[in-house]
DNA sequence: TATGAATGAGCTTTCATTCAT
DNA sequence: AATGAATGAAAGCTCATTCAT
């Protein structure tokens, strides 16, 4: 409840990050909050290696030394932006939402897929800067890789299985491997997200229509109806 | 054919990059070649900002000053690794291959798609380090964005249209927007490529079978046959 | 006698330092006492320049700011550890002890020397951390040099003279310059102290026997008896 | 021979340090030489921790970065000033000189002692800044402790034994433990050196007379002749 | 009195770039 | 063309000191 208040006041991703960090390390001062905010934006915009702590400090309206009062190293700053979010927010959120959608739209696969994809897109939008940071930096920092819980993928996979199983049983869809199917959904979604948000962000995108045609492709392929 | 010579001597991507660079700037000395080679690998492994020219020089077995004999700045080194490739190699190659496949497998959409996807995967594998560099750095350097010719996307799109048009005319597939369809193909392919090469590179992957099931999804969706 | 109380509560050197400081500045709070204690140990172990106020504070179990409530600067902290001790304790003590020993063992030079050397060794042991600080830092801080009273050396010298004079008069020893002789005694004692406490502190040392042979050397030299 | 030239041009200690360093790492550029020179003086004057690399650089007339081209860290700079000297110069020198004196003045203990003490004093004078650095810093840096060869002490001890043995055999002096005697000599010498060079350097000191009276004390003690 | 967050000057170190050889 | 010593601006980080609470 208190978190929702913070989210309202601040940007989505940053509010969530700060909420998760506070949950791990206790309430933070205003300056620490501003450092986190500034760091997320800087890292997302320019990448970790190309961001100077001096830049983070100026953008946060804080002395450079203050950063190191709260985070012993620049690397720790990066890691502590990402880790709490996975630990406290993302995983529970992702699994829980899936189940909610499934029960709400029981029996209607198209409706379930639509709901999940939309919520996934909303999640990515909300955490946009963090998503960028992750995409750009995971490969270079083992500490970040360690921050992504190993069970994250498995949790998602078993969620997918639970959703698909009844439809396969009833013969309404092909008996696909849920992991393989999941990969396709994720790929299509990521592809769309990148196109919409990174490649051509200035164009007008109709999320509903686009999702509908992705679902159409997934359900029917290119076959004429 | 001339390329095969270069490929024999060097790694795929590096040979191609050097070939393209030589086409623009004339034949290069052995040291320059080694600098290019070292830079591609370093940038791919650690990212541009986190790579020191000193590191590039050591890996190339060259004095640090030598780099700046051949490339006035570090940034220029990055750009000149990428630009010639697009100008001389990638675009013609991509378009040409598409047409070849189309005529070879005329009338058989599945065969055309299979051929294109396989060649695309092979291309990505061959240029793997360069692909990494591009993915990581394009966002941060306008010079790189400028290096990707504007007509690249259009050329690919029109290629896709040429392929799909006859099938749509004959009512064998739905009248999809070729650009939209292209996006799906690319997304699925990229998704598969990332999974195979970056996320779980140690697993055994059967490219043929995977491509077959991607095509299956694209053609038939989840519907039971 | 009053000192014994302090000694009982705290370490020798630290108790003495605190006693002297309180004599100058009035009674101190528990926190101030702990700061002094921590500072003496830190300076002795790592040197003044290499000791961070932060380290002193943590070791004292005190906030960093608290240090500066009691000592305006780090340098003042150093100086105030040393100065009161010289002003109130060391000088009177040294002179007084000398006289006591002299009267107790009147006429027996060997006994006088033995008593003085033992008490000197005990003094050095008791003030070990302070001795270290002095040795390490005096050269770098004029404020410390000023803290050592100019009459200290003279007082000691005249003490030595008083002791030696009657023996010289009676022809029992050579008519040596007391200052010169003092230097030899001090050198031998310091040499022994360093060897015992700094160079090979883990070895077993028999102070009584060692002092006896130093005295032997001083009295008889290498000459066979 | 070339070394003697360098020694002539430069200060004693610095010339010797540079010579020893060059013997280990090959000939050095003028700037590196000046960095070494500046570092020795700075460390000796202000101590390691209180010396900024910036200060060393300015005194050497060199850019700060140049220091780190030649020495990876400030600590390495300190260690590399000391280590080569022990490895190449001090130990051989000390042992060799002892033997020379012994044979030259065979049979005359007073002459041997005089020669050794004078050469030791000359050595300390020549390496004065280095001696200061060692005294101040050895305690704080394990790397420095490791730089002093373990056999140094033993070599000196066995030298002392060789010298004393014949005199003891002939009954000309007491059968003292050479190590114990050595300690006394060293203590007296260090005591004199410190007094002369550190405590009261402005006074006029007659080394010959002082050494003579130290020897007198060592040979005859306080006993009237 | 005591706190500890905040500061910013200053520290050691890195690095792209220059230039005499 | 090639070198690598030299540079100095800027990086990440430390630390004595201040100040609102």
């Amino acid at each position: 409840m208190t978190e929702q208040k913070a989210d309202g006041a601040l940007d989505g991703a940053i509010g969530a990050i700060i909420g998760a960090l506070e949950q791990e390390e206790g309430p933070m001062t205003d300056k620490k909050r501003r450092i986190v905010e500034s760091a997320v934006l800087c890292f997302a915009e320019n990448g970790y290696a190309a961001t100077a702590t001096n830049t983070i400090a100026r953008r946060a309206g804080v002395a450079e030394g203050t950063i190191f009062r709260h985070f012993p190293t620049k690397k720790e700053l990066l890691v502590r932006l990402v880790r709490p979010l996975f630990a406290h927010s993302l995983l529970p959120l992702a699994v829980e939402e899936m189940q909610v959608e499934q029960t709400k739209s029981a029996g209607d696969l198209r409706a379930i897929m639509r709901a999940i994809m939309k919520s996934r897109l909303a999640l990515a939008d909300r955490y946009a800067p963090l998503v960028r940071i992750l995409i750009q930096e995971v490969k270079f920092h083992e500490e970040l890789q360690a921050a992504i819980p190993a069970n994250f993928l498995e949790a998602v996979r078993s969620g997918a299985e639970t959703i698909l199983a009844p439809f396969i049983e009833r013969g309404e869809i092909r008996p696909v491997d849920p992991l393989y199917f999941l990969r396709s959904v994720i790929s299509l979604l990521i592809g769309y997200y990148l196109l919409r948000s990174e490649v051509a962000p200035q164009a007008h995108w109709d999320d509903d229509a686009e999702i509908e045609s992705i679902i159409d492709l997934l359900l029917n392929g290119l076959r004429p109806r």
Side-chain angles (χ1 to χ4, degrees), chain A residues 115-130:
Chain A
I116 290 179
M117 292 179 85
K118 283 176 87 163
S119 78
R120 227 56 6 181
L121 218 50
L123 204 68
D125 281 339
R126 192 170 162 222
Y127 293 128
L130 199 81

Side-chain angles (χ1 to χ4, degrees), chain A residues 148-161:
Chain A
I148 302 176
N151 59 339
F152 189 74
L153 208 77
E154 176 50 29
V156 174
R157 199 203 73 88
S158 88
E161 187 155 24

Side-chain angles (χ1 to χ4, degrees), chain A residues 10-173:
Chain A
L10 274 168
D11 210 23
I14 289 160
I17 291 168
I18 288 171
L21 234 186
E22 283 191 320
Q23 219 166 321
E24 273 213 343
E25 311 182 359
M28 47 174 89
T29 63
D30 179 51
K31 304 240 166 178
K32 183 170 181 182
R33 213 187 317 276
R34 265 149 57 202
I35 289 168
V36 170
E37 188 178 330
S38 169
V40 172
L41 297 177
C42 287
F43 288 159
E45 285 170 18
N46 300 313
Y48 171 81
T51 300
T53 51
N54 166 32
T55 307
I56 298 173
R58 265 212 321 278
R59 186 169 190 167
V62 154
E64 205 173 350
T66 308
I67 292 178
F68 294 95
R69 188 144 267 287
H70 295 288
F71 303 91
T73 62
K74 188 186 165 195
K75 183 81 144 250
E76 263 284 304
L77 174 53
L78 170 68
V79 173
R80 296 239 292 268
L81 293 183
V82 174
R83 200 170 37 202
L85 202 61
F86 272 93
H88 298 298
S89 279
L90 274 184
L91 181 54
L93 206 74
V95 174
E96 181 200 4
E97 276 187 3
M98 259 185 167
Q99 289 166 342
V100 169
E101 298 307 335
Q102 193 191 358
T103 44
K104 272 211 306 226
S105 325
D108 183 351
L109 183 56
R110 184 175 285 263
I112 294 176
M113 286 175 67
R114 185 186 302 122
I116 290 179
M117 292 179 85
K118 283 176 87 163
S119 78
R120 227 56 6 181
L121 218 50
L123 204 68
D125 281 339
R126 192 170 162 222
Y127 293 128
L130 199 81
V131 168
R132 272 204 190 186
I133 294 175
L134 268 177
I135 291 173
Q136 284 155 23
E137 306 297 339
V138 172
K139 192 175 308 167
F140 301 138
H141 312 277
E142 291 187 11
E143 301 91 333
L144 277 194
Q145 289 155 26
I148 302 176
N151 59 339
F152 189 74
L153 208 77
E154 176 50 29
V156 174
R157 199 203 73 88
S158 88
E161 187 155 24
T162 315
I163 290 173
L164 289 179
F167 296 93
I168 294 175
E169 245 165 62
R170 276 179 262 137
E172 292 175 29
I173 63 170

